[in-house]
Short mmCIF file of all heavy atoms in Angstrom, two decimals:
data_model
loop_
_atom_site.label_atom_id
_atom_site.label_comp_id
_atom_site.label_asym_id
_atom_site.label_seq_id
_atom_site.Cartn_x
_atom_site.Cartn_y
_atom_site.Cartn_z
N VAL O 97 234.99 22.68 190.40
CA VAL O 97 233.94 22.95 189.42
C VAL O 97 232.84 23.76 190.09
O VAL O 97 232.37 23.41 191.17
CB VAL O 97 233.36 21.63 188.86
CG1 VAL O 97 232.24 21.93 187.86
CG2 VAL O 97 234.45 20.79 188.22
N THR O 98 232.43 24.85 189.44
CA THR O 98 231.28 25.62 189.91
C THR O 98 230.23 25.66 188.79
O THR O 98 230.49 25.20 187.68
CB THR O 98 231.67 27.05 190.31
OG1 THR O 98 232.18 27.76 189.17
CG2 THR O 98 232.74 27.02 191.41
N PHE O 99 229.08 26.21 189.09
CA PHE O 99 227.95 26.09 188.18
C PHE O 99 227.32 27.45 187.87
O PHE O 99 227.38 28.38 188.69
CB PHE O 99 226.90 25.14 188.77
CG PHE O 99 227.45 23.77 189.06
CD1 PHE O 99 227.92 23.46 190.33
CD2 PHE O 99 227.56 22.84 188.05
CE1 PHE O 99 228.45 22.20 190.60
CE2 PHE O 99 228.09 21.57 188.30
CZ PHE O 99 228.54 21.26 189.58
N PHE O 100 226.73 27.56 186.69
CA PHE O 100 225.97 28.74 186.27
C PHE O 100 224.51 28.53 186.62
O PHE O 100 223.98 27.41 186.49
CB PHE O 100 226.08 28.96 184.77
CG PHE O 100 227.48 29.21 184.28
CD1 PHE O 100 228.15 28.25 183.53
CD2 PHE O 100 228.12 30.41 184.54
CE1 PHE O 100 229.43 28.48 183.05
CE2 PHE O 100 229.41 30.64 184.07
CZ PHE O 100 230.07 29.69 183.33
N SER O 101 223.84 29.59 187.02
CA SER O 101 222.42 29.49 187.30
C SER O 101 221.60 29.71 186.03
O SER O 101 222.09 30.28 185.05
CB SER O 101 222.00 30.52 188.36
OG SER O 101 222.01 31.82 187.81
N VAL O 102 220.37 29.24 186.04
CA VAL O 102 219.47 29.53 184.93
C VAL O 102 219.25 31.04 184.84
O VAL O 102 219.43 31.77 185.82
CB VAL O 102 218.13 28.79 185.11
CG1 VAL O 102 218.28 27.31 184.90
CG2 VAL O 102 217.52 29.11 186.48
N ASN O 103 218.90 31.50 183.66
CA ASN O 103 218.69 32.92 183.43
C ASN O 103 217.75 33.08 182.25
O ASN O 103 217.28 32.09 181.68
CB ASN O 103 220.02 33.63 183.18
CG ASN O 103 220.76 33.02 182.00
OD1 ASN O 103 220.49 33.34 180.84
ND2 ASN O 103 221.70 32.11 182.28
N SER O 104 217.47 34.31 181.86
CA SER O 104 216.47 34.55 180.83
C SER O 104 216.86 33.99 179.47
O SER O 104 216.01 33.72 178.63
CB SER O 104 216.19 36.05 180.70
OG SER O 104 217.40 36.74 180.39
N LEU O 105 218.16 33.79 179.21
CA LEU O 105 218.61 33.23 177.94
C LEU O 105 218.93 31.74 178.04
O LEU O 105 219.02 31.07 177.02
CB LEU O 105 219.84 33.99 177.43
CG LEU O 105 219.59 35.45 177.04
CD1 LEU O 105 220.87 36.10 176.58
CD2 LEU O 105 218.51 35.55 175.97
N HIS O 106 219.17 31.24 179.22
CA HIS O 106 219.43 29.82 179.44
C HIS O 106 218.42 29.32 180.47
O HIS O 106 218.71 29.22 181.66
CB HIS O 106 220.87 29.60 179.94
CG HIS O 106 221.92 30.15 179.01
ND1 HIS O 106 222.63 31.28 179.30
CD2 HIS O 106 222.35 29.73 177.81
CE1 HIS O 106 223.47 31.54 178.33
NE2 HIS O 106 223.31 30.61 177.40
N ARG O 107 217.24 29.02 180.00
CA ARG O 107 216.13 28.68 180.89
C ARG O 107 216.00 27.18 181.14
O ARG O 107 215.17 26.76 181.95
CB ARG O 107 214.82 29.21 180.31
CG ARG O 107 214.72 30.73 180.28
CD ARG O 107 213.49 31.19 179.51
NE ARG O 107 212.31 30.46 179.95
CZ ARG O 107 211.26 30.23 179.17
NH1 ARG O 107 211.25 30.64 177.91
NH2 ARG O 107 210.22 29.56 179.64
N THR O 108 216.80 26.36 180.47
CA THR O 108 216.68 24.91 180.62
C THR O 108 217.65 24.42 181.69
O THR O 108 218.87 24.50 181.51
CB THR O 108 216.98 24.19 179.30
OG1 THR O 108 216.12 24.69 178.27
CG2 THR O 108 216.79 22.70 179.45
N PRO O 109 217.18 23.90 182.79
CA PRO O 109 218.09 23.34 183.80
C PRO O 109 218.81 22.10 183.27
O PRO O 109 218.26 21.35 182.46
CB PRO O 109 217.16 22.99 184.96
CG PRO O 109 215.90 23.74 184.71
CD PRO O 109 215.78 23.84 183.23
N VAL O 110 220.04 21.91 183.71
CA VAL O 110 220.86 20.78 183.30
C VAL O 110 221.21 19.96 184.54
O VAL O 110 221.68 20.50 185.55
CB VAL O 110 222.15 21.26 182.60
CG1 VAL O 110 223.01 20.07 182.17
CG2 VAL O 110 221.81 22.13 181.39
N LYS O 111 221.00 18.66 184.46
CA LYS O 111 221.34 17.80 185.58
C LYS O 111 222.86 17.62 185.69
O LYS O 111 223.56 17.60 184.67
CB LYS O 111 220.67 16.43 185.42
CG LYS O 111 219.15 16.46 185.51
CD LYS O 111 218.57 15.06 185.37
CE LYS O 111 217.05 15.08 185.49
NZ LYS O 111 216.49 13.71 185.38
N MET O 112 223.35 17.47 186.92
CA MET O 112 224.78 17.28 187.18
C MET O 112 224.95 16.14 188.18
O MET O 112 224.19 16.06 189.16
CB MET O 112 225.40 18.55 187.75
CG MET O 112 225.17 19.82 186.94
SD MET O 112 226.16 19.88 185.43
CE MET O 112 225.59 21.46 184.74
N SER O 113 225.93 15.28 187.93
CA SER O 113 226.18 14.13 188.81
C SER O 113 227.67 13.93 189.00
O SER O 113 228.49 14.40 188.21
CB SER O 113 225.55 12.86 188.22
OG SER O 113 224.15 12.96 188.12
N VAL O 114 228.01 13.21 190.06
CA VAL O 114 229.39 12.88 190.39
C VAL O 114 229.59 11.38 190.23
O VAL O 114 228.72 10.58 190.60
CB VAL O 114 229.74 13.29 191.83
CG1 VAL O 114 231.22 13.08 192.11
CG2 VAL O 114 229.36 14.74 192.07
N VAL O 115 230.72 10.97 189.65
CA VAL O 115 231.03 9.55 189.44
C VAL O 115 232.27 9.18 190.26
O VAL O 115 233.28 9.90 190.23
CB VAL O 115 231.29 9.25 187.95
CG1 VAL O 115 231.71 7.80 187.76
CG2 VAL O 115 230.05 9.57 187.12
N GLU O 116 232.18 8.07 190.97
CA GLU O 116 233.34 7.56 191.70
C GLU O 116 233.19 6.05 191.85
O GLU O 116 232.12 5.56 192.21
CB GLU O 116 233.45 8.21 193.08
CG GLU O 116 234.74 7.82 193.82
CD GLU O 116 234.94 8.65 195.08
OE1 GLU O 116 233.99 9.30 195.54
OE2 GLU O 116 236.07 8.64 195.60
N ASN O 117 234.26 5.32 191.50
CA ASN O 117 234.26 3.87 191.60
C ASN O 117 233.08 3.24 190.86
O ASN O 117 232.39 2.35 191.38
CB ASN O 117 234.26 3.44 193.07
CG ASN O 117 235.50 3.89 193.81
OD1 ASN O 117 236.60 3.93 193.24
ND2 ASN O 117 235.35 4.24 195.07
N ASN O 118 232.85 3.73 189.63
CA ASN O 118 231.81 3.18 188.75
C ASN O 118 230.40 3.33 189.31
O ASN O 118 229.49 2.57 188.94
CB ASN O 118 232.08 1.70 188.44
CG ASN O 118 233.40 1.51 187.71
OD1 ASN O 118 233.76 2.29 186.84
ND2 ASN O 118 234.14 0.47 188.10
N HIS O 119 230.23 4.30 190.19
CA HIS O 119 228.90 4.62 190.72
C HIS O 119 228.71 6.14 190.65
O HIS O 119 229.68 6.91 190.67
CB HIS O 119 228.73 4.12 192.15
CG HIS O 119 228.51 2.65 192.24
ND1 HIS O 119 229.56 1.74 192.10
CD2 HIS O 119 227.38 1.90 192.42
CE1 HIS O 119 229.08 0.51 192.19
NE2 HIS O 119 227.76 0.58 192.40
N THR O 120 227.46 6.55 190.54
CA THR O 120 227.17 7.96 190.39
C THR O 120 226.11 8.41 191.39
O THR O 120 225.25 7.63 191.82
CB THR O 120 226.67 8.27 188.96
OG1 THR O 120 226.43 9.68 188.84
CG2 THR O 120 225.39 7.53 188.62
N ARG O 121 226.20 9.69 191.75
CA ARG O 121 225.21 10.33 192.61
C ARG O 121 224.89 11.69 192.02
O ARG O 121 225.78 12.47 191.70
CB ARG O 121 225.74 10.48 194.04
CG ARG O 121 226.12 9.16 194.70
CD ARG O 121 226.74 9.38 196.07
NE ARG O 121 225.78 9.90 197.03
CZ ARG O 121 226.09 10.28 198.27
NH1 ARG O 121 227.36 10.21 198.68
NH2 ARG O 121 225.15 10.73 199.09
N GLU O 122 223.60 11.96 191.86
CA GLU O 122 223.20 13.24 191.27
C GLU O 122 223.32 14.36 192.30
O GLU O 122 223.04 14.17 193.49
CB GLU O 122 221.77 13.16 190.75
CG GLU O 122 221.33 14.42 190.02
CD GLU O 122 219.95 14.29 189.39
OE1 GLU O 122 219.45 13.14 189.26
OE2 GLU O 122 219.36 15.34 189.04
N ILE O 123 223.75 15.52 191.84
CA ILE O 123 223.84 16.70 192.70
C ILE O 123 222.43 17.25 192.95
O ILE O 123 221.66 17.46 192.01
CB ILE O 123 224.73 17.78 192.05
CG1 ILE O 123 226.17 17.26 191.93
CG2 ILE O 123 224.70 19.06 192.86
CD1 ILE O 123 227.08 18.18 191.14
N ILE O 124 222.11 17.47 194.22
CA ILE O 124 220.84 18.09 194.57
C ILE O 124 221.02 19.60 194.43
O ILE O 124 221.70 20.24 195.22
CB ILE O 124 220.42 17.73 196.01
CG1 ILE O 124 220.43 16.20 196.20
CG2 ILE O 124 219.05 18.32 196.32
CD1 ILE O 124 219.51 15.45 195.25
N GLN O 125 220.40 20.18 193.41
CA GLN O 125 220.61 21.58 193.10
C GLN O 125 219.73 22.49 193.95
O GLN O 125 218.64 22.11 194.38
CB GLN O 125 220.34 21.83 191.61
CG GLN O 125 221.21 20.99 190.68
CD GLN O 125 220.93 21.26 189.21
OE1 GLN O 125 220.45 22.33 188.83
NE2 GLN O 125 221.23 20.28 188.36
N SER O 126 220.23 23.70 194.16
CA SER O 126 219.46 24.68 194.94
C SER O 126 219.91 26.08 194.56
O SER O 126 221.11 26.33 194.36
CB SER O 126 219.66 24.46 196.43
OG SER O 126 219.06 25.50 197.18
N ILE O 127 218.97 27.00 194.48
CA ILE O 127 219.32 28.39 194.22
C ILE O 127 220.07 28.98 195.41
O ILE O 127 220.75 30.02 195.28
CB ILE O 127 218.05 29.21 193.92
CG1 ILE O 127 218.41 30.52 193.21
CG2 ILE O 127 217.24 29.46 195.17
CD1 ILE O 127 219.04 30.32 191.85
N ASP O 128 220.00 28.32 196.56
CA ASP O 128 220.72 28.79 197.74
C ASP O 128 222.23 28.64 197.60
O ASP O 128 222.98 29.18 198.42
CB ASP O 128 220.25 28.03 198.99
CG ASP O 128 218.79 28.33 199.33
OD1 ASP O 128 218.31 29.41 198.94
OD2 ASP O 128 218.15 27.47 199.96
N TYR O 129 222.70 27.91 196.58
CA TYR O 129 224.14 27.78 196.36
C TYR O 129 224.74 29.07 195.78
O TYR O 129 225.96 29.19 195.68
CB TYR O 129 224.43 26.64 195.39
CG TYR O 129 224.06 25.25 195.89
CD1 TYR O 129 223.93 24.19 195.00
CD2 TYR O 129 223.85 25.00 197.24
CE1 TYR O 129 223.60 22.91 195.45
CE2 TYR O 129 223.51 23.74 197.69
CZ TYR O 129 223.39 22.70 196.78
OH TYR O 129 223.06 21.44 197.23
N PHE O 130 223.89 30.00 195.39
CA PHE O 130 224.34 31.24 194.75
C PHE O 130 224.15 32.43 195.68
O PHE O 130 223.22 32.47 196.49
CB PHE O 130 223.57 31.50 193.45
CG PHE O 130 223.74 30.43 192.41
CD1 PHE O 130 222.87 29.34 192.37
CD2 PHE O 130 224.76 30.49 191.48
CE1 PHE O 130 223.01 28.35 191.41
CE2 PHE O 130 224.91 29.50 190.52
CZ PHE O 130 224.04 28.43 190.48
N THR O 131 225.03 33.41 195.56
CA THR O 131 224.91 34.67 196.27
C THR O 131 224.55 35.75 195.25
O THR O 131 225.23 35.92 194.25
CB THR O 131 226.23 35.05 196.96
OG1 THR O 131 226.54 34.05 197.95
CG2 THR O 131 226.10 36.40 197.64
N PHE O 132 223.47 36.48 195.52
CA PHE O 132 222.97 37.48 194.60
C PHE O 132 223.35 38.89 195.07
O PHE O 132 223.45 39.14 196.27
CB PHE O 132 221.45 37.38 194.48
CG PHE O 132 220.97 36.17 193.74
CD1 PHE O 132 220.94 34.92 194.36
CD2 PHE O 132 220.59 36.26 192.41
CE1 PHE O 132 220.51 33.79 193.67
CE2 PHE O 132 220.17 35.14 191.71
CZ PHE O 132 220.13 33.90 192.34
N PRO O 133 223.54 39.81 194.11
CA PRO O 133 223.83 41.20 194.52
C PRO O 133 222.60 41.84 195.14
O PRO O 133 221.47 41.36 194.99
CB PRO O 133 224.20 41.87 193.19
CG PRO O 133 223.52 41.05 192.14
CD PRO O 133 223.54 39.64 192.66
N ASP O 134 222.82 42.96 195.79
CA ASP O 134 221.73 43.62 196.53
C ASP O 134 220.59 44.06 195.61
O ASP O 134 219.43 44.08 196.03
CB ASP O 134 222.26 44.85 197.28
CG ASP O 134 223.20 44.44 198.41
OD1 ASP O 134 223.10 43.29 198.86
OD2 ASP O 134 224.02 45.27 198.81
N ASN O 135 220.90 44.41 194.34
CA ASN O 135 219.86 44.92 193.46
C ASN O 135 219.05 43.81 192.80
O ASN O 135 218.26 44.07 191.89
CB ASN O 135 220.45 45.82 192.38
CG ASN O 135 221.43 45.08 191.48
OD1 ASN O 135 221.94 44.04 191.84
ND2 ASN O 135 221.68 45.65 190.30
N ALA O 136 219.21 42.56 193.24
CA ALA O 136 218.41 41.47 192.68
C ALA O 136 216.98 41.49 193.21
O ALA O 136 216.10 40.86 192.64
CB ALA O 136 219.05 40.12 193.02
N HIS O 137 216.76 42.19 194.34
CA HIS O 137 215.41 42.33 194.92
C HIS O 137 214.78 40.97 195.21
O HIS O 137 213.59 40.76 194.99
CB HIS O 137 214.51 43.14 193.98
CG HIS O 137 215.05 44.46 193.61
ND1 HIS O 137 215.34 45.43 194.55
CD2 HIS O 137 215.40 44.99 192.40
CE1 HIS O 137 215.81 46.51 193.94
NE2 HIS O 137 215.87 46.26 192.65
N GLY O 138 215.61 40.07 195.70
CA GLY O 138 215.09 38.77 196.07
C GLY O 138 214.97 37.83 194.88
O GLY O 138 215.02 38.24 193.73
N VAL O 139 214.82 36.57 195.18
CA VAL O 139 214.69 35.54 194.15
C VAL O 139 213.27 35.00 194.19
O VAL O 139 212.69 34.80 195.25
CB VAL O 139 215.71 34.40 194.38
CG1 VAL O 139 215.53 33.31 193.33
CG2 VAL O 139 217.12 34.95 194.34
N SER O 140 212.71 34.75 193.02
CA SER O 140 211.34 34.26 192.95
C SER O 140 211.19 32.96 193.73
O SER O 140 212.03 32.07 193.63
CB SER O 140 210.94 34.03 191.49
OG SER O 140 209.73 33.32 191.41
N PRO O 141 210.15 32.82 194.51
CA PRO O 141 209.92 31.56 195.24
C PRO O 141 209.65 30.39 194.30
O PRO O 141 209.72 29.25 194.72
CB PRO O 141 208.69 31.88 196.11
CG PRO O 141 208.02 33.02 195.43
CD PRO O 141 209.12 33.84 194.82
N ASP O 142 209.36 30.70 193.02
CA ASP O 142 209.13 29.63 192.04
C ASP O 142 210.43 29.02 191.53
O ASP O 142 210.40 28.01 190.83
CB ASP O 142 208.33 30.17 190.85
CG ASP O 142 206.95 30.65 191.25
OD1 ASP O 142 206.39 30.05 192.20
OD2 ASP O 142 206.46 31.60 190.64
N LEU O 143 211.57 29.65 191.86
CA LEU O 143 212.86 29.16 191.36
C LEU O 143 213.36 28.07 192.29
O LEU O 143 214.16 28.29 193.19
CB LEU O 143 213.85 30.32 191.27
CG LEU O 143 215.05 30.13 190.35
CD1 LEU O 143 214.61 29.74 188.95
CD2 LEU O 143 215.89 31.39 190.30
N LYS O 144 212.87 26.85 192.06
CA LYS O 144 213.19 25.72 192.91
C LYS O 144 213.68 24.55 192.06
O LYS O 144 213.62 24.58 190.84
CB LYS O 144 211.95 25.28 193.70
CG LYS O 144 211.37 26.36 194.62
CD LYS O 144 210.11 25.87 195.29
CE LYS O 144 209.53 26.94 196.20
NZ LYS O 144 208.27 26.49 196.85
N GLY O 145 214.15 23.51 192.73
CA GLY O 145 214.58 22.31 192.02
C GLY O 145 215.87 22.55 191.26
O GLY O 145 216.77 23.26 191.71
N ASN O 146 215.99 21.95 190.07
CA ASN O 146 217.21 22.08 189.27
C ASN O 146 217.32 23.50 188.71
O ASN O 146 216.42 23.98 188.01
CB ASN O 146 217.21 21.06 188.13
CG ASN O 146 217.44 19.65 188.63
OD1 ASN O 146 217.97 19.46 189.72
ND2 ASN O 146 217.04 18.67 187.85
N VAL O 147 218.44 24.15 188.99
CA VAL O 147 218.63 25.55 188.59
C VAL O 147 219.99 25.78 187.93
O VAL O 147 220.36 26.91 187.67
CB VAL O 147 218.49 26.49 189.80
CG1 VAL O 147 217.06 26.49 190.32
CG2 VAL O 147 219.47 26.09 190.92
N PHE O 148 220.75 24.70 187.65
CA PHE O 148 222.04 24.85 186.99
C PHE O 148 221.84 24.87 185.47
O PHE O 148 221.13 24.02 184.93
CB PHE O 148 222.99 23.71 187.34
CG PHE O 148 223.40 23.65 188.79
CD1 PHE O 148 224.04 22.52 189.29
CD2 PHE O 148 223.16 24.70 189.66
CE1 PHE O 148 224.44 22.44 190.62
CE2 PHE O 148 223.54 24.63 191.00
CZ PHE O 148 224.18 23.49 191.48
N SER O 149 222.48 25.83 184.79
CA SER O 149 222.40 25.89 183.33
C SER O 149 223.70 25.47 182.65
O SER O 149 223.74 25.30 181.43
CB SER O 149 222.03 27.30 182.88
OG SER O 149 223.03 28.23 183.26
N GLY O 150 224.78 25.31 183.40
CA GLY O 150 226.07 24.92 182.86
C GLY O 150 227.11 24.89 183.96
O GLY O 150 226.78 25.01 185.15
N PHE O 151 228.37 24.76 183.57
CA PHE O 151 229.42 24.69 184.57
C PHE O 151 230.70 25.30 184.04
O PHE O 151 230.90 25.48 182.85
CB PHE O 151 229.67 23.24 185.02
CG PHE O 151 230.28 22.36 183.96
CD1 PHE O 151 231.66 22.24 183.82
CD2 PHE O 151 229.47 21.63 183.09
CE1 PHE O 151 232.22 21.42 182.85
CE2 PHE O 151 230.01 20.81 182.12
CZ PHE O 151 231.39 20.70 181.99
N ARG O 152 231.61 25.61 184.98
CA ARG O 152 232.94 26.11 184.65
C ARG O 152 233.95 25.38 185.51
O ARG O 152 233.66 24.99 186.65
CB ARG O 152 233.01 27.63 184.86
CG ARG O 152 232.94 28.03 186.30
CD ARG O 152 232.58 29.49 186.56
NE ARG O 152 233.14 30.44 185.65
CZ ARG O 152 232.77 31.73 185.62
NH1 ARG O 152 231.86 32.17 186.48
NH2 ARG O 152 233.29 32.58 184.78
N ILE O 153 235.15 25.20 184.97
CA ILE O 153 236.24 24.52 185.68
C ILE O 153 237.31 25.55 185.97
O ILE O 153 237.79 26.24 185.06
CB ILE O 153 236.81 23.36 184.86
CG1 ILE O 153 235.70 22.39 184.46
CG2 ILE O 153 237.90 22.63 185.64
CD1 ILE O 153 236.17 21.29 183.51
N LEU O 154 237.70 25.67 187.24
CA LEU O 154 238.68 26.66 187.64
C LEU O 154 240.09 26.08 187.64
O LEU O 154 240.29 24.87 187.69
CB LEU O 154 238.34 27.20 189.03
CG LEU O 154 236.92 27.79 189.18
CD1 LEU O 154 236.74 28.38 190.56
CD2 LEU O 154 236.67 28.83 188.11
N GLU O 155 241.06 26.99 187.60
CA GLU O 155 242.47 26.59 187.50
C GLU O 155 242.97 25.86 188.74
O GLU O 155 243.74 24.92 188.64
CB GLU O 155 243.34 27.82 187.26
CG GLU O 155 243.16 28.47 185.90
CD GLU O 155 243.99 27.80 184.83
OE1 GLU O 155 244.57 26.74 185.10
OE2 GLU O 155 244.06 28.36 183.72
N ASN O 156 242.55 26.32 189.93
CA ASN O 156 243.04 25.72 191.15
C ASN O 156 242.18 26.15 192.33
O ASN O 156 241.27 26.97 192.19
CB ASN O 156 244.53 26.08 191.40
CG ASN O 156 244.75 27.58 191.33
OD1 ASN O 156 244.09 28.36 192.01
ND2 ASN O 156 245.71 28.00 190.50
N GLN O 157 242.49 25.58 193.48
CA GLN O 157 241.70 25.87 194.68
C GLN O 157 241.86 27.32 195.14
O GLN O 157 240.92 27.91 195.69
CB GLN O 157 242.13 24.93 195.82
CG GLN O 157 241.95 23.45 195.51
CD GLN O 157 240.50 23.03 195.42
OE1 GLN O 157 239.62 23.75 195.88
NE2 GLN O 157 240.24 21.89 194.80
N GLN O 158 243.03 27.92 194.92
CA GLN O 158 243.25 29.29 195.34
C GLN O 158 242.35 30.26 194.57
O GLN O 158 241.76 31.19 195.13
CB GLN O 158 244.72 29.69 195.16
CG GLN O 158 245.69 29.00 196.12
CD GLN O 158 245.87 27.52 195.82
OE1 GLN O 158 245.86 27.13 194.64
NE2 GLN O 158 246.03 26.71 196.85
N LEU O 159 242.22 30.03 193.25
CA LEU O 159 241.37 30.90 192.45
C LEU O 159 239.90 30.74 192.82
O LEU O 159 239.13 31.68 192.68
CB LEU O 159 241.56 30.59 190.96
CG LEU O 159 242.88 31.08 190.34
CD1 LEU O 159 242.97 30.64 188.89
CD2 LEU O 159 242.99 32.59 190.43
N LEU O 160 239.53 29.57 193.27
CA LEU O 160 238.15 29.35 193.68
C LEU O 160 237.75 30.34 194.76
O LEU O 160 236.63 30.86 194.77
CB LEU O 160 237.99 27.92 194.19
CG LEU O 160 236.63 27.56 194.80
CD1 LEU O 160 235.53 27.64 193.75
CD2 LEU O 160 236.68 26.16 195.42
N LYS O 161 238.67 30.63 195.67
CA LYS O 161 238.36 31.52 196.79
C LYS O 161 238.53 32.99 196.44
O LYS O 161 237.84 33.84 196.97
CB LYS O 161 239.25 31.17 197.99
CG LYS O 161 239.13 29.73 198.48
CD LYS O 161 237.72 29.44 198.99
CE LYS O 161 237.64 28.12 199.71
NZ LYS O 161 237.88 26.97 198.84
#
Side-chain angles (χ1 to χ4, degrees):
V97 179
T98 63
F99 302 95
F100 298 109
S101 72
V102 289
N103 57 82
S104 58
L105 294 179
H106 303 107
R107 293 172 48 208
T108 304
V110 180
K111 294 181 179 181
M112 307 286 179
S113 297
V114 186
V115 176
E116 187 171 15
N117 297 325
N118 299 321
H119 284 77
T120 182
R121 300 176 68 186
E122 185 174 345
I123 296 172
I124 307 301
Q125 302 180 25
S126 173
I127 199 64
D128 294 335
Y129 295 162
F130 299 90
T131 298
F132 289 78
D134 292 338
N135 62 340
H137 305 300
V139 178
S140 168
D142 297 328
L143 200 54
K144 300 177 180 178
N146 288 339
V147 293
F148 295 167
S149 62
F151 68 90
R152 69 198 323 170
I153 305 174
L154 304 184
E155 291 277 9
N156 52 53
Q157 300 291 343
Q158 290 71 36
L159 287 177
L160 174 65
K161 301 297 190 294

